[in-house]
Amino acid sequence: MIEKIKSIKNIAVFKNFNWDSEVKDKEGNIRDFKKINIIYGRNYSGKTTLSRIIRALETGYISDKYETPECCISISGSNDISQENFDSHNKTIRVFNEDFIKENLKFIFDPEENIQPFAILGSDNAKIEAEIKLLNGKLGLNEEDNKTGLFLELENIKNAYGTAVKVHNTAIDSLTGQLSNKATNNPNGIKYQSQKFGDQNYTITKLKDEIAIVKQEDFKPISDDEKINLETILNEKAKDIIPGLTELVLSFNTITKTSKDLITRKIGQSNKIEDLLKNAVLNRWVKEGKDLHKNKLEKCAFCDNEIGDERWKELDKHFDEESDKLESEIIAHLKKIATEESLISSTSGIKRASFYSKFHSEVDDLTALFDKALKDYESSLKSLKSQLNQRKEDILNEKKFEEATDCSSQIISLRSQFNQLRNDSNEYSEKLSSEQKKAKDNLRLREIYDFIDLIEYDKQMSNIGTLKVSLDQEKNKKNAKQKEVDDILIEIASKQRELKDESKGADKVNEYLNNYFGHDFLTLKAIEFDDEETGNVQYRFEVHRDNKKAYHLSLGETSLIAFCYFMAKLQDIDTKTKKPIIWIDDPISSLDSNHIFFIYSLINTQIFGEEEFEQLFISTHNLNFLKYLKRLPGARAKTKCEQFTLERIDDHSTIALMPSYIWEYVTEFNYLFNQIYKCSTIDRVDDNNYTTFYNFGNNARKFLEIFLYYKYPDSSDDSTKMKKFFGDDDIPAVLTDRINNEYSHLSGVFERGATIVEVPEMHKAAKLILEKIKKDTDQYESLLKSIGVELITEEE
C-alpha cells in the first residue's frame, strides 16, 4: 500500500509539503494512509495535483510542464519512490482524473476522435496492432552503435553490471591478497613460521577454514599471559625425572594427648602449705630456696633465721615426689615438641625449577598452601608449649587445656598433591611433543584472530557483501531488462498470432450506463474497421445516441461516460485479478444529486463488492458526495479508513487530517458556521489563520442566506431579513451587509481588492452573528456540537 506522500516540492500548489510535519493528530502522532482514504478539498486546493502524482506511478512519468518537480512516495515493501524512478515498484495503479480522460476519451475534446478501446478478459481485437506498434517503439533499434529504446537501456544496464562485477572482484582480490600473504608469504607467512605455528604446508584454504573457527561465537582466544606461557612451552626441553618426597610422620595427635594430660593432671592437696598453693611465684621461689638450703645451710640466707626440723618436715610434705614427677614429665615432653618443631622446620615441598613451565602456577599455589600449613602447625606446637610451661611454673595447680589446631592432615595432603603433580610432570615428559603441537595450534589461532581484527576482516566482508548485493541487483536488472526485451519479443509474436474481441469492453461500459444511470439512449459501440497498415480487423469505441455517433455531449454526459469507462476498464486484461491501488479524483463534476448517488452506488457495488483492490483513494469537493462516502463499507472503521482535507492558503496547499465535524456532520451549513465561529475567536492574525478572515465575506454571506431563508421563509429581500434578524439597531445589519457584499463581491468598490481586509470589522461582525444566534440556545448549542465545540455557560 501507499503509506504516505512524504514530500512534494514545486508541483502546482504544493510548494514545500512535508507529510511528517503536517499530517498529525491532536496528540502529535503522524498518521498514514490506510486501505480506504477519503480526501475532501475545495476547488483549486490541489486534489487533481495529488492524483497526477499518483498517476505518475502508473505511467512512469509526470508532466514536463512542472519546473523542477520533486516528490517522495513511501510504499510498503518497497524503497521510496521519487521523481527519478516512478516506475521502480511492482504495484498496479489505476487513477481516474482529467488526464486519464484526455488520454483515453479523446472524443470529449475532439468529436472526430474516438475512445481508446480495451479488452475485457477473454475478448480482444484491433487494439493489438496499435500495441504491437507501441511495443516495437518501446524496443527501439538494435543496431551497432545506434541502439535506442529498451535495447539501449539493456546495453546501459549491461555496462553497469560489468562495472559492478569489476568493483566486486577488486574487493575480493584485495582481501584474497591479504589472506594469501598471511598464509604463504615468505618469511612472515604462517607457512614459514612452522617453529611457532606448526604447519609447513599451510595454505590460504586452511587460513579461511580457521578464520571460520575463530569467528564462531563459542571461540575464545588465548589471553596474552597464556600466549607467553605457550611460547615458553615451545622452547622447553625434556626435564629429568623428579624424585618422590621422603615420608613425613607427624605426631601431633600423640603430642596433643600427652600435653592435655600433663596440663590438666591434679596433684594431691593434703599437707600442702596453703599460702604457697595460692601463689605460684612464691611456691616456685620457696622450692628453689629449699633446694639451695637443705643439707647445706642451717640458717635462712634471706632472713638469717634458723630453719627448724618442723619447718623442714612441712616443706618436704609440700614439695613431694608427685609434683616432682609431673615437672620431670613436662620437661621431657617439651623436648619432644622441640624435636617435632625441628622436623617441621626441615620439611619442604618440591623445587619449582624441577617442573615444566605449564605446572609452575600449580606449584606456586601448592607451595603457598604448604608454607602456610607448616606455619600453622608450628603455631599449634607453640600453643601447646606455652600451656605446658605455664603448668610447669604452677606445678601444684591443674590448668584448663586449650585445644590447638591440627594441621598435620593438611600437610600430608599437600605433600600428596606435590607427589601427584610430580607424577604429572614426569608423565608430561612423555607427551611434551603433543603439548607443543597444541601450543602451536592455539598460537596460530590467536595469530589469525589478531590478524582479522588488524585487517578489519568483518568490515571488508561486509563491504564485499554489500557489493555483492549491488552486483546481484545489477544482475537482476540486467536479467529483468533482458527478460523484458525477450517478453516483448514473445508478446509481439503472440499478438501477431492472436486477436481479441474488444466489443465486450464497450458492453461493460454500457452495462454501467444502463444499470446504474438508466442511460439506454446513450451507448458505447465497438466499431469494426480494417487497418490499412496491417490489413487486420480492428475496433474503435464511439459514443452513440439513437444509433448514431453522438456529438455535443453535455458536461454531465461526458462525466458519466468517462467514469463508467474507468470502472469498466478496471475489468480489463491488464487490471483484473491484480488487486490495483485505485485513485478516483472528484468523479461527480457537473452531475446532479441523483447522479452523485449513482456514482457512489457504482463505487460501492463494483469496487467494494468485488473486493479486488489493495487500496482506495477518493477525493471530492462536494459535501453531498462526501455524505455518501462515509457509508462505504469500512468507512467508519478507524483501522481501515482515514479522512484527509486539502487546505489552500494563498498560493500553496497542504494535506491535513479531516476535522471530525466535517466527517461527522457533512453539510456546508455546518462548515460555514465553523468558519464564522473561528473568526469570532481569533484575536491575532498570522500566516496560519488569515484565510479565515480573507474568506469571511463569502462564508458569512452564504451562511446568512441559508440561515435567514429557513428563519424567514417568505419572499422578503435579504436586507429586510437582515434587519429582522439583527433588530431595530441598523448598525449591525449595515455593517454585516457591507462585509457580506463589499468583501465577498467587491460591490462597487473594486479598489477594495487591492487592499488587505479590515480584521476588526470581520471579528466584530462574526461576534454579532453569533450573539443573535445564541438567543435560540438549543439551536446554538447544536451548531456548536456539530463543529466539535462544547457550550460554555456563564456558571462555568
Side-chain angles (χ1 to χ4, degrees), residues 222-230 446:
I222 57 174
S223 66
D224 290 341
D225 290 340
E226 290 173 322
K227 180 181 177 183
I228 293 172
N229 290 336
L230 293 179
R446 168 62 189 269

Side-chain angles (χ1 to χ4, degrees), residues 708-773:
L708 296 179
Y709 173 79
Y710 285 101
K711 188 171 182 65
Y712 308 112
D714 55 32
S715 60
S716 57
D717 59 28
D718 291 340
S719 297
T720 302
K721 292 179 180 180
M722 291 274 282
K723 289 183 179 181
K724 285 182 181 181
F725 179 62
F726 286 105
D728 295 334
D729 187 356
D730 288 341
I731 295 176
V734 172
L735 174 61
T736 305
D737 188 56
R738 178 205 166 196
I739 292 173
N740 289 350
N741 286 288
E742 183 175 329
Y743 281 100
S744 65
H745 299 301
L746 302 179
S747 178
V749 189
F750 292 103
E751 63 273 14
R752 163 51 55 195
T755 61
I756 60 174
V757 297
E758 295 294 334
V759 172
E761 291 182 1
M762 306 293 183
H763 189 68
K764 183 176 180 181
K767 284 193 169 185
L768 285 170
I769 294 171
L770 294 182
E771 288 299 326
K772 287 298 180 180
I773 298 175

Side-chain angles (χ1 to χ4, degrees), residues 6 27 135 167 191 218 233 290 349 361 427 455 493 720 779 787 793:
K6 297 177 72 172
E27 288 73 35
L135 291 172
V167 172
K191 175 179 180 178
D218 58 350
I233 288 175
K290 175 177 176 291
S361 176
E427 292 175 2
I455 68 170
T720 302
Q779 184 184 36
I787 63 171
T793 62

Side-chain angles (χ1 to χ4, degrees), residues 63 84 135 260 298 315 361 374 377 444 596 652 665:
S63 173
E84 303 294 336
L135 291 172
K260 183 176 183 179
E298 294 182 357
L315 291 173
S361 176
L374 291 178
Y377 193 83
R444 186 174 67 253
I596 289 174
H652 64 278
Y665 306 94

Side-chain angles (χ1 to χ4, degrees), residues 605-644:
T605 58
Q606 297 303 306
I607 295 180
F608 283 87
E610 297 290 334
E611 271 292 334
E612 291 187 356
F613 68 94
E614 179 179 352
Q615 195 175 18
L616 176 64
F617 298 83
I618 304 176
S619 67
T620 184
H621 75 288
N622 187 286
L623 291 171
N624 193 35
F625 185 51
L626 184 62
K627 176 181 66 177
Y628 290 124
L629 292 180
K630 69 179 181 180
R631 302 180 188 176
L632 290 172
R636 290 293 186 180
K638 293 183 179 180
T639 58
K640 292 183 65 176
C641 182
E642 192 66 86
Q643 306 86 36
F644 303 88

